[in-house]
């Protein structure tokens, strides 16, 4: 998958990707507006070009309150994000080219008021989804929120993701309708932030195409591990 070219689909009018982005941005806007007065910290995992946050900050009254760290592996995407942040005068936005699954990248920003986990849960295994949700208790401050996405294709993991968040002291704040064509959720952390465990890897980014192939093979009764499965193990 070319994760730079993938962003081109946002430009297709009324595509599910464009609608999902608009939905995420609406929740980001609401989260920033509802946050307590004062400085705000934002973390974005696998941030891509940063459209979900940067487009909102440009015209938001809290823009100067926000200190954000965006972590993304593809240097083409980070170059675009840095250029856009610079043009918009968003001086407190830091864009890091690196592996977003390594929790050390967030040490100076956690616990944050807003954590974005968008475009992640559809590209990692169920075990890694649960592990990442559990780690959000290290990334998110008490009263802070996590905004996340997941496709609703079979197997639909959105209900299970909600259960996992609630099991880790997050309460549901908003969830997109089942027939929206995508899943977007917001959960508020009501627990006590845990110390950040340096050296932790939250997930391995497998990719939707590989995961979809694995699910198809399992449904056909192919139990032998594929090369991709062997690499994950």
């Amino acid at each position: 998958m070319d994760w730079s070219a993938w962003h081109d689909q946002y430009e297709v009018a009324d595509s599910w990707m464009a609608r999902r982005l608009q939905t995420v941005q609406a929740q980001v806007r609401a989260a920033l507006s509802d946050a307590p007065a004062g400085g705000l910290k934002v973390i974005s995992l696998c941030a891509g070009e940063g459209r979900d946050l940067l487009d909102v900050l440009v015209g938001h009254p809290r823009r100067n309150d926000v200190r954000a760290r965006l972590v993304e592996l593809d240097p083409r995407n980070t170059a675009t994000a840095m250029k856009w942040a610079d043009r918009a005068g968003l001086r407190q936005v830091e864009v890091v080219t690196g592996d977003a699954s390594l929790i050390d990248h967030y040490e100076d920003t956690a616990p944050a008021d807003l954590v974005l986990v968008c475009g992640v849960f559809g590209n990692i295994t169920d075990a890694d989804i649960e592990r990442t949700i559990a780690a959000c208790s290290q990334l998110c401050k008490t009263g802070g929120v996590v905004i996340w996405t997941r496709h609703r294709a079979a197997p639909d993991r959105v209900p299970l993701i909600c259960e996992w968040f609630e099991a880790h002291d997050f309460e549901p704040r908003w969830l997109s309708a089942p027939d929206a064509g995508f899943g977007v959720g917001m959960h508020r952390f009501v627990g006590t932030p845990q110390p950040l465990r340096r050296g932790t890897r939250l997930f391995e980014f497998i990719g939707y195409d590989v995961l979809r192939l694995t699910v198809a093979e399992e449904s056909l009764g192919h139990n032998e591990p594929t090369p991709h499965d062997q690499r994950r193990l």
Side-chain angles (χ1 to χ4, degrees):
M1 176 70 72
D2 186 329
W3 294 107
S4 179
W6 183 81
H7 287 75
D8 295 341
Q9 299 177 65
Y10 284 130
E11 309 302 332
V12 179
D14 201 38
S15 66
W16 73 266
M17 281 187 59
R19 288 184 284 109
R20 188 185 74 173
L21 176 60
Q22 292 165 5
T23 301
V24 171
Q25 289 173 339
Q27 297 309 309
V28 170
R29 191 173 294 110
L32 295 178
S33 297
D34 293 343
L40 301 174
K41 295 190 290 185
V42 179
I43 288 170
S44 181
L45 286 71
C46 298
E49 295 177 352
R51 299 187 186 204
D52 45 10
L53 178 64
L54 299 181
D55 287 359
V56 173
L57 286 180
V58 169
H60 200 281
R62 302 292 302 273
R63 57 172 284 164
N64 293 327
D65 294 336
V66 173
R67 180 167 70 89
R69 175 168 292 182
L70 284 60
V71 183
E72 161 66 28
L73 186 61
D74 192 313
R76 297 169 297 174
N77 290 335
T78 55
T80 298
M82 286 187 284
K83 183 182 298 184
W84 178 228
D86 184 61
R87 287 178 176 175
L90 300 171
R91 307 303 180 196
Q92 298 187 92
V93 172
E94 179 186 11
V95 182
V96 176
T97 303
D99 185 347
S101 73
L102 300 177
I103 204 167
D104 294 30
H105 284 304
Y106 313 106
E107 183 174 21
D108 296 335
T109 313
D113 299 270
L114 171 60
V115 178
L116 299 174
V117 192
C118 299
V120 178
F121 290 162
N123 292 285
I124 63 179
T125 64
D126 288 355
D128 280 357
I129 294 174
E130 186 173 14
R131 182 179 298 108
T132 302
I133 290 172
C136 284
S137 64
Q138 301 173 49
L139 300 177
C140 196
K141 68 185 295 185
T142 303
V145 297
V146 176
I147 297 175
W148 54 272
T149 65
R150 162 75 187 208
H151 64 78
R152 303 213 67 155
D156 184 359
R157 290 295 187 246
V158 168
L160 189 54
I161 288 170
C162 290
E163 291 180 13
W164 283 331
F165 268 110
E166 291 179 44
H168 291 285
D169 295 327
F170 286 84
E171 62 179 20
R173 299 296 296 173
W174 188 86
L175 184 64
S176 57
D179 60 355
F182 49 79
V184 175
M186 180 194 292
H187 279 75
R188 184 188 302 277
F189 186 49
V190 295
T192 301
Q194 300 300 304
L196 190 140
R197 300 185 183 92
R198 288 183 54 85
T200 301
R201 179 179 292 277
L202 304 179
F203 55 81
E204 181 180 353
F205 201 93
I206 303 299
Y208 174 69
D209 291 344
V210 174
L211 291 175
R212 181 175 57 183
L213 176 62
T214 301
V215 169
E217 290 175 340
E218 290 175 350
S219 68
L220 292 173
H222 297 302
N223 296 319
E224 291 299 319
T226 66
H228 296 293
D229 294 323
Q230 293 167 354
R231 186 173 66 248
R232 274 186 284 145
L233 295 172

